[in-house]
Amino acid sequence: MKGSKRRRRRLALGFGLAQLIAALVLAGPSAVSAGTTVNLDQWATLDHAWQNGNLNGNNSRYPEGGIVPFRLALEGLSPGAHEIRLEYDFTAGGHKAYDFLATWNATNAGGAICLPSGGAISSMCPSLPSPSTYPFPTDYFVTDGLSVLSAQVYAGMPRRLTLWGGSVTSISAPVHSGSASGNSSVEIRVSFTTTGSAVLLAWGGHLAQSSIWDTQAGGAADGASLVSGAPWHVRTRGLDGSGAKNQDRSIQPSAIVGELPPGGPGVPTFPPVLPPALPPAPPPLQGLTPPNTSIEAPGAVAEPLSISTVVLGTVIGLSFALALTRPTRRRR
């Protein structure tokens, strides 16, 4: 009787140890620890700085077709494979908001990835390693008679995710949820590897343009400037399956002014690069007489030509020219 109880205890203890070992193996080196931090910034154009909060008309001005830059600093990671979900609001109140993701510095914040503002300041700054980039998958979602692909082609913006401190291994196809006639969102999954404890990611949110939504399908303008009231958001979710490391940043409708043409502007830099100064005027060449003056004896003052002198010279010159061109008579 006692032997059977001991055997049951040993079996129970062995089963518990097996469960613990299995959990540790499944978690592996990529498990999110309590010391892992996730911090998301977005670029405020009027402040020329990263903002760890929300954008509005007091700190930013963005046109439809502009790219809102985001940077995400991950610290305290274990070396190995990781995954994070990026989510953005496709529509807000039935109007197009962020219609796709693009390269982070396509229209703003060029050269400012390590600017010490906001909260997502990577421990790798200011000397970042070489970046890894990966193309965002094409979005074939169709609404109101137009596809997101058509908006991507119309905008003509570069569309790549940038990562420092590791390598992007894959990005899933965009998944839409919710009704585009109300509030809807898009999610992608980014898989990456890191050799150290820090990773910095950067991307941009493209502000939907009224010149394509929904006018290219014969409808009314429906770009980001038409959103009213509540803001729309970009979120990070589920780092390695954890629900406690999420971030959320929004932009208010008051920050949207005007619209970019198709193709957008060139990539700017930060700080702004000023045009080079004009070279100094060359010194006057020696030995040449300035125009409209005559050679005079030393100490003499050149007299301006009078009107009568000019007229007389013109008449004499014209008469001489006519004499040279007068046809001659043939002798018979």
Side-chain angles (χ1 to χ4, degrees), residues 58-274:
N58 294 323
N59 58 31
S60 297
R61 288 287 190 276
Y62 279 99
E64 290 187 351
I67 304 296
V68 179
F70 294 87
R71 70 178 183 183
L72 178 69
L74 306 178
E75 302 284 339
L77 295 173
S78 299
H82 299 271
E83 182 186 82
I84 193 166
R85 292 150 45 204
L86 306 183
E87 182 182 280
Y88 54 98
D89 287 346
F90 180 71
T91 56
H95 298 292
K96 313 302 182 297
Y98 286 126
D99 50 357
F100 58 85
L101 300 184
T103 302
W104 72 278
N105 60 349
T107 63
N108 290 279
I113 191 64
C114 276
L115 192 71
S117 58
I121 304 172
S122 175
S123 60
M124 297 181 291
C125 288
S127 300
L128 291 174
S130 298
S132 166
T133 67
Y134 200 94
F136 287 110
T138 300
D139 191 347
Y140 297 99
F141 181 77
V142 176
T143 182
D144 298 321
L146 293 167
S147 67
V148 177
L149 172 60
S150 63
Q152 294 170 349
V153 173
Y154 181 85
M157 292 291 182
R159 301 185 56 253
R160 299 184 75 88
L161 175 69
T162 305
L163 181 146
W164 292 267
S167 299
V168 182
T169 56
S170 68
I171 300 178
S172 69
V175 176
H176 287 251
S177 61
S179 173
S181 61
N183 297 323
S184 64
S185 62
V186 181
E187 181 181 283
I188 62 172
R189 292 176 178 265
V190 178
S191 298
F192 62 94
T193 60
T194 175
T195 56
S197 61
V199 162
L200 181 64
L201 297 98
W203 69 92
H206 180 263
L207 294 164
Q209 296 177 257
S210 294
S211 54
I212 184 167
W213 300 106
D214 297 335
T215 53
Q216 295 290 326
D222 196 32
S225 64
L226 276 298
V227 178
S228 61
W232 57 100
H233 302 251
V234 164
R235 308 170 188 87
T236 64
R237 295 187 181 278
L239 174 61
D240 295 332
S242 172
K245 304 293 181 180
N246 300 337
Q247 295 278 285
D248 187 316
R249 300 290 178 263
S250 70
I251 183 170
Q252 294 279 351
S254 59
I256 311 303
V257 178
E259 181 178 0
L260 289 183
V267 178
T269 59
F270 185 87
V273 177
L274 299 177

